[in-house]
PDB file of all heavy atoms in Angstrom:
ATOM      1  N   PRO A 221     -23.077  13.588   3.010  1.00  0.00           N
ATOM      2  CA  PRO A 221     -23.089  15.052   3.071  1.00  0.00           C
ATOM      3  C   PRO A 221     -21.767  15.516   3.665  1.00  0.00           C
ATOM      4  O   PRO A 221     -21.133  14.780   4.440  1.00  0.00           O
ATOM      5  CB  PRO A 221     -24.264  15.357   4.018  1.00  0.00           C
ATOM      6  CG  PRO A 221     -24.469  14.105   4.799  1.00  0.00           C
ATOM      7  CD  PRO A 221     -24.064  12.977   3.924  1.00  0.00           C
ATOM      8  N   PHE A 222     -21.354  16.725   3.323  1.00  0.00           N
ATOM      9  CA  PHE A 222     -20.033  17.167   3.753  1.00  0.00           C
ATOM     10  C   PHE A 222     -19.883  17.164   5.266  1.00  0.00           C
ATOM     11  O   PHE A 222     -18.795  16.865   5.788  1.00  0.00           O
ATOM     12  CB  PHE A 222     -19.710  18.563   3.211  1.00  0.00           C
ATOM     13  CG  PHE A 222     -18.342  19.036   3.638  1.00  0.00           C
ATOM     14  CD1 PHE A 222     -17.204  18.560   3.011  1.00  0.00           C
ATOM     15  CD2 PHE A 222     -18.202  19.923   4.702  1.00  0.00           C
ATOM     16  CE1 PHE A 222     -15.936  18.965   3.426  1.00  0.00           C
ATOM     17  CE2 PHE A 222     -16.945  20.338   5.122  1.00  0.00           C
ATOM     18  CZ  PHE A 222     -15.806  19.861   4.478  1.00  0.00           C
ATOM     19  N   ARG A 223     -20.916  17.485   5.993  1.00  0.00           N
ATOM     20  CA  ARG A 223     -20.809  17.535   7.456  1.00  0.00           C
ATOM     21  C   ARG A 223     -20.394  16.175   8.015  1.00  0.00           C
ATOM     22  O   ARG A 223     -19.547  16.095   8.914  1.00  0.00           O
ATOM     23  CB  ARG A 223     -22.143  17.978   8.063  1.00  0.00           C
ATOM     24  CG  ARG A 223     -22.525  19.427   7.730  1.00  0.00           C
ATOM     25  CD  ARG A 223     -23.709  19.890   8.546  1.00  0.00           C
ATOM     26  NE  ARG A 223     -24.114  21.248   8.192  1.00  0.00           N
ATOM     27  CZ  ARG A 223     -25.017  21.959   8.863  1.00  0.00           C
ATOM     28  NH1 ARG A 223     -25.627  21.419   9.903  1.00  0.00           N
ATOM     29  NH2 ARG A 223     -25.314  23.183   8.479  1.00  0.00           N
ATOM     30  N   GLU A 224     -20.990  15.108   7.490  1.00  0.00           N
ATOM     31  CA  GLU A 224     -20.631  13.775   7.961  1.00  0.00           C
ATOM     32  C   GLU A 224     -19.217  13.422   7.521  1.00  0.00           C
ATOM     33  O   GLU A 224     -18.440  12.812   8.279  1.00  0.00           O
ATOM     34  CB  GLU A 224     -21.622  12.747   7.429  1.00  0.00           C
ATOM     35  CG  GLU A 224     -21.318  11.299   7.818  1.00  0.00           C
ATOM     36  CD  GLU A 224     -21.286  11.077   9.319  1.00  0.00           C
ATOM     37  OE1 GLU A 224     -21.997  11.807  10.049  1.00  0.00           O
ATOM     38  OE2 GLU A 224     -20.534  10.189   9.762  1.00  0.00           O
ATOM     39  N   TYR A 225     -18.876  13.793   6.290  1.00  0.00           N
ATOM     40  CA  TYR A 225     -17.513  13.548   5.795  1.00  0.00           C
ATOM     41  C   TYR A 225     -16.494  14.262   6.670  1.00  0.00           C
ATOM     42  O   TYR A 225     -15.451  13.690   7.022  1.00  0.00           O
ATOM     43  CB  TYR A 225     -17.406  14.035   4.349  1.00  0.00           C
ATOM     44  CG  TYR A 225     -15.998  13.983   3.786  1.00  0.00           C
ATOM     45  CD1 TYR A 225     -15.499  12.811   3.223  1.00  0.00           C
ATOM     46  CD2 TYR A 225     -15.188  15.111   3.823  1.00  0.00           C
ATOM     47  CE1 TYR A 225     -14.210  12.768   2.702  1.00  0.00           C
ATOM     48  CE2 TYR A 225     -13.894  15.073   3.313  1.00  0.00           C
ATOM     49  CZ  TYR A 225     -13.413  13.910   2.757  1.00  0.00           C
ATOM     50  OH  TYR A 225     -12.132  13.869   2.259  1.00  0.00           O
ATOM     51  N   ALA A 226     -16.789  15.515   7.024  1.00  0.00           N
ATOM     52  CA  ALA A 226     -15.868  16.303   7.852  1.00  0.00           C
ATOM     53  C   ALA A 226     -15.685  15.673   9.233  1.00  0.00           C
ATOM     54  O   ALA A 226     -14.573  15.620   9.763  1.00  0.00           O
ATOM     55  CB  ALA A 226     -16.369  17.735   7.986  1.00  0.00           C
ATOM     56  N   LYS A 227     -16.773  15.180   9.823  1.00  0.00           N
ATOM     57  CA  LYS A 227     -16.676  14.538  11.140  1.00  0.00           C
ATOM     58  C   LYS A 227     -15.744  13.341  11.096  1.00  0.00           C
ATOM     59  O   LYS A 227     -14.872  13.180  11.949  1.00  0.00           O
ATOM     60  CB  LYS A 227     -18.061  14.114  11.619  1.00  0.00           C
ATOM     61  CG  LYS A 227     -18.961  15.248  12.094  1.00  0.00           C
ATOM     62  CD  LYS A 227     -20.281  14.698  12.609  1.00  0.00           C
ATOM     63  CE  LYS A 227     -21.184  15.823  13.116  1.00  0.00           C
ATOM     64  NZ  LYS A 227     -22.469  15.303  13.643  1.00  0.00           N
ATOM     65  N   GLN A 228     -15.932  12.484  10.083  1.00  0.00           N
ATOM     66  CA  GLN A 228     -15.086  11.306   9.978  1.00  0.00           C
ATOM     67  C   GLN A 228     -13.634  11.686   9.673  1.00  0.00           C
ATOM     68  O   GLN A 228     -12.697  11.071  10.187  1.00  0.00           O
ATOM     69  CB  GLN A 228     -15.625  10.368   8.900  1.00  0.00           C
ATOM     70  CG  GLN A 228     -16.985   9.777   9.218  1.00  0.00           C
ATOM     71  CD  GLN A 228     -17.392   8.697   8.231  1.00  0.00           C
ATOM     72  OE1 GLN A 228     -16.549   7.957   7.717  1.00  0.00           O
ATOM     73  NE2 GLN A 228     -18.689   8.609   7.954  1.00  0.00           N
ATOM     74  N   GLY A 229     -13.461  12.709   8.839  1.00  0.00           N
ATOM     75  CA  GLY A 229     -12.112  13.143   8.492  1.00  0.00           C
ATOM     76  C   GLY A 229     -11.372  13.737   9.676  1.00  0.00           C
ATOM     77  O   GLY A 229     -10.190  13.435   9.893  1.00  0.00           O
ATOM     78  N   LEU A 230     -12.055  14.572  10.451  1.00  0.00           N
ATOM     79  CA  LEU A 230     -11.426  15.171  11.636  1.00  0.00           C
ATOM     80  C   LEU A 230     -11.038  14.097  12.647  1.00  0.00           C
ATOM     81  O   LEU A 230      -9.975  14.166  13.269  1.00  0.00           O
ATOM     82  CB  LEU A 230     -12.377  16.186  12.282  1.00  0.00           C
ATOM     83  CG  LEU A 230     -12.672  17.457  11.465  1.00  0.00           C
ATOM     84  CD1 LEU A 230     -13.707  18.315  12.167  1.00  0.00           C
ATOM     85  CD2 LEU A 230     -11.380  18.255  11.244  1.00  0.00           C
ATOM     86  N   GLN A 231     -11.895  13.119  12.795  1.00  0.00           N
ATOM     87  CA  GLN A 231     -11.599  12.035  13.734  1.00  0.00           C
ATOM     88  C   GLN A 231     -10.367  11.247  13.296  1.00  0.00           C
ATOM     89  O   GLN A 231      -9.555  10.828  14.122  1.00  0.00           O
ATOM     90  CB  GLN A 231     -12.802  11.106  13.843  1.00  0.00           C
ATOM     91  CG  GLN A 231     -12.659  10.012  14.901  1.00  0.00           C
ATOM     92  CD  GLN A 231     -13.930   9.201  15.054  1.00  0.00           C
ATOM     93  OE1 GLN A 231     -14.740   9.108  14.126  1.00  0.00           O
ATOM     94  NE2 GLN A 231     -14.122   8.626  16.215  1.00  0.00           N
ATOM     95  N   ARG A 232     -10.201  11.079  11.989  1.00  0.00           N
ATOM     96  CA  ARG A 232      -9.073  10.308  11.475  1.00  0.00           C
ATOM     97  C   ARG A 232      -7.735  11.010  11.683  1.00  0.00           C
ATOM     98  O   ARG A 232      -6.689  10.362  11.676  1.00  0.00           O
ATOM     99  CB  ARG A 232      -9.274  10.008   9.988  1.00  0.00           C
ATOM    100  CG  ARG A 232     -10.191   8.804   9.719  1.00  0.00           C
ATOM    101  CD  ARG A 232     -10.647   8.773   8.284  1.00  0.00           C
ATOM    102  NE  ARG A 232     -11.211   7.492   7.890  1.00  0.00           N
ATOM    103  CZ  ARG A 232     -12.410   7.040   8.265  1.00  0.00           C
ATOM    104  NH1 ARG A 232     -13.169   7.803   9.055  1.00  0.00           N
ATOM    105  NH2 ARG A 232     -12.853   5.860   7.860  1.00  0.00           N
ATOM    106  N   VAL A 233      -7.740  12.322  11.841  1.00  0.00           N
ATOM    107  CA  VAL A 233      -6.483  13.049  12.061  1.00  0.00           C
ATOM    108  C   VAL A 233      -6.317  13.461  13.519  1.00  0.00           C
ATOM    109  O   VAL A 233      -5.444  14.266  13.856  1.00  0.00           O
ATOM    110  CB  VAL A 233      -6.393  14.292  11.146  1.00  0.00           C
ATOM    111  CG1 VAL A 233      -6.406  13.875   9.682  1.00  0.00           C
ATOM    112  CG2 VAL A 233      -7.531  15.266  11.426  1.00  0.00           C
ATOM    113  N   GLY A 234      -7.162  12.908  14.381  1.00  0.00           N
ATOM    114  CA  GLY A 234      -7.007  13.143  15.815  1.00  0.00           C
ATOM    115  C   GLY A 234      -7.638  14.412  16.340  1.00  0.00           C
ATOM    116  O   GLY A 234      -7.323  14.850  17.454  1.00  0.00           O
ATOM    117  N   LEU A 235      -8.547  15.008  15.572  1.00  0.00           N
ATOM    118  CA  LEU A 235      -9.237  16.219  16.017  1.00  0.00           C
ATOM    119  C   LEU A 235     -10.650  15.882  16.467  1.00  0.00           C
ATOM    120  O   LEU A 235     -11.187  14.814  16.151  1.00  0.00           O
ATOM    121  CB  LEU A 235      -9.277  17.250  14.882  1.00  0.00           C
ATOM    122  CG  LEU A 235      -7.910  17.761  14.398  1.00  0.00           C
ATOM    123  CD1 LEU A 235      -8.085  18.695  13.201  1.00  0.00           C
ATOM    124  CD2 LEU A 235      -7.154  18.472  15.526  1.00  0.00           C
ATOM    125  N   VAL A 236     -11.266  16.796  17.213  1.00  0.00           N
ATOM    126  CA  VAL A 236     -12.620  16.577  17.724  1.00  0.00           C
ATOM    127  C   VAL A 236     -13.604  16.578  16.554  1.00  0.00           C
ATOM    128  O   VAL A 236     -13.686  17.572  15.817  1.00  0.00           O
ATOM    129  CB  VAL A 236     -13.000  17.670  18.745  1.00  0.00           C
ATOM    130  CG1 VAL A 236     -14.419  17.437  19.259  1.00  0.00           C
ATOM    131  CG2 VAL A 236     -12.004  17.674  19.908  1.00  0.00           C
ATOM    132  N   PRO A 237     -14.344  15.502  16.356  1.00  0.00           N
ATOM    133  CA  PRO A 237     -15.242  15.403  15.195  1.00  0.00           C
ATOM    134  C   PRO A 237     -16.304  16.497  15.135  1.00  0.00           C
ATOM    135  O   PRO A 237     -16.693  16.939  14.050  1.00  0.00           O
ATOM    136  CB  PRO A 237     -15.887  14.022  15.355  1.00  0.00           C
ATOM    137  CG  PRO A 237     -14.956  13.261  16.235  1.00  0.00           C
ATOM    138  CD  PRO A 237     -14.349  14.265  17.157  1.00  0.00           C
ATOM    139  N   ASP A 238     -16.790  16.925  16.290  1.00  0.00           N
ATOM    140  CA  ASP A 238     -17.881  17.909  16.343  1.00  0.00           C
ATOM    141  C   ASP A 238     -17.383  19.340  16.463  1.00  0.00           C
ATOM    142  O   ASP A 238     -18.123  20.223  16.906  1.00  0.00           O
ATOM    143  CB  ASP A 238     -18.822  17.580  17.506  1.00  0.00           C
ATOM    144  CG  ASP A 238     -19.543  16.255  17.305  1.00  0.00           C
ATOM    145  OD1 ASP A 238     -19.942  15.973  16.163  1.00  0.00           O
ATOM    146  OD2 ASP A 238     -19.688  15.498  18.288  1.00  0.00           O
ATOM    147  N   THR A 239     -16.137  19.587  16.077  1.00  0.00           N
ATOM    148  CA  THR A 239     -15.609  20.956  16.109  1.00  0.00           C
ATOM    149  C   THR A 239     -16.459  21.857  15.221  1.00  0.00           C
ATOM    150  O   THR A 239     -16.719  21.525  14.058  1.00  0.00           O
ATOM    151  CB  THR A 239     -14.155  20.984  15.612  1.00  0.00           C
ATOM    152  OG1 THR A 239     -13.352  20.138  16.448  1.00  0.00           O
ATOM    153  CG2 THR A 239     -13.613  22.404  15.634  1.00  0.00           C
ATOM    154  N   PRO A 240     -16.943  22.998  15.744  1.00  0.00           N
ATOM    155  CA  PRO A 240     -17.778  23.907  14.939  1.00  0.00           C
ATOM    156  C   PRO A 240     -17.011  24.427  13.722  1.00  0.00           C
ATOM    157  O   PRO A 240     -15.837  24.771  13.819  1.00  0.00           O
ATOM    158  CB  PRO A 240     -18.098  25.054  15.917  1.00  0.00           C
ATOM    159  CG  PRO A 240     -17.913  24.457  17.279  1.00  0.00           C
ATOM    160  CD  PRO A 240     -16.780  23.468  17.131  1.00  0.00           C
ATOM    161  N   ILE A 241     -17.679  24.458  12.578  1.00  0.00           N
ATOM    162  CA  ILE A 241     -17.072  24.995  11.364  1.00  0.00           C
ATOM    163  C   ILE A 241     -18.032  25.995  10.733  1.00  0.00           C
ATOM    164  O   ILE A 241     -19.239  25.969  10.975  1.00  0.00           O
ATOM    165  CB  ILE A 241     -16.729  23.875  10.353  1.00  0.00           C
ATOM    166  CG1 ILE A 241     -17.991  23.085   9.966  1.00  0.00           C
ATOM    167  CG2 ILE A 241     -15.672  22.946  10.921  1.00  0.00           C
ATOM    168  CD1 ILE A 241     -17.726  21.985   8.952  1.00  0.00           C
ATOM    169  N   ASP A 242     -17.481  26.889   9.927  1.00  0.00           N
ATOM    170  CA  ASP A 242     -18.266  27.920   9.250  1.00  0.00           C
ATOM    171  C   ASP A 242     -18.915  27.298   8.007  1.00  0.00           C
ATOM    172  O   ASP A 242     -18.287  27.154   6.959  1.00  0.00           O
ATOM    173  CB  ASP A 242     -17.357  29.085   8.853  1.00  0.00           C
ATOM    174  CG  ASP A 242     -18.142  30.266   8.304  1.00  0.00           C
ATOM    175  OD1 ASP A 242     -19.289  30.075   7.867  1.00  0.00           O
ATOM    176  OD2 ASP A 242     -17.589  31.385   8.295  1.00  0.00           O
ATOM    177  N   HIS A 243     -20.180  26.926   8.109  1.00  0.00           N
ATOM    178  CA  HIS A 243     -20.843  26.227   7.013  1.00  0.00           C
ATOM    179  C   HIS A 243     -21.107  27.142   5.810  1.00  0.00           C
ATOM    180  O   HIS A 243     -21.177  26.662   4.679  1.00  0.00           O
ATOM    181  CB  HIS A 243     -22.155  25.618   7.507  1.00  0.00           C
ATOM    182  CG  HIS A 243     -21.942  24.492   8.484  1.00  0.00           C
ATOM    183  ND1 HIS A 243     -21.444  23.266   8.102  1.00  0.00           N
ATOM    184  CD2 HIS A 243     -22.146  24.415   9.822  1.00  0.00           C
ATOM    185  CE1 HIS A 243     -21.351  22.473   9.155  1.00  0.00           C
ATOM    186  NE2 HIS A 243     -21.770  23.143  10.220  1.00  0.00           N
ATOM    187  N   THR A 244     -21.221  28.445   6.046  1.00  0.00           N
ATOM    188  CA  THR A 244     -21.385  29.373   4.922  1.00  0.00           C
ATOM    189  C   THR A 244     -20.125  29.390   4.066  1.00  0.00           C
ATOM    190  O   THR A 244     -20.180  29.330   2.825  1.00  0.00           O
ATOM    191  CB  THR A 244     -21.680  30.793   5.437  1.00  0.00           C
ATOM    192  OG1 THR A 244     -22.883  30.772   6.220  1.00  0.00           O
ATOM    193  CG2 THR A 244     -21.846  31.761   4.272  1.00  0.00           C
ATOM    194  N   LEU A 245     -18.977  29.437   4.746  1.00  0.00           N
ATOM    195  CA  LEU A 245     -17.704  29.404   4.031  1.00  0.00           C
ATOM    196  C   LEU A 245     -17.522  28.065   3.327  1.00  0.00           C
ATOM    197  O   LEU A 245     -17.042  28.012   2.186  1.00  0.00           O
ATOM    198  CB  LEU A 245     -16.555  29.646   5.017  1.00  0.00           C
ATOM    199  CG  LEU A 245     -15.134  29.578   4.437  1.00  0.00           C
ATOM    200  CD1 LEU A 245     -14.948  30.645   3.372  1.00  0.00           C
ATOM    201  CD2 LEU A 245     -14.105  29.744   5.554  1.00  0.00           C
TER     202      LEU A 245
END
Side-chain angles (χ1 to χ4, degrees):
F222 180 78
R223 293 190 182 189
E224 178 59 29
Y225 173 85
K227 286 183 179 181
Q228 295 189 33
L230 293 175
Q231 186 175 25
R232 278 165 165 74
V233 298
L235 297 176
V236 179
D238 295 320
T239 301
I241 59 179
D242 187 339
H243 292 289
T244 300
L245 177 61

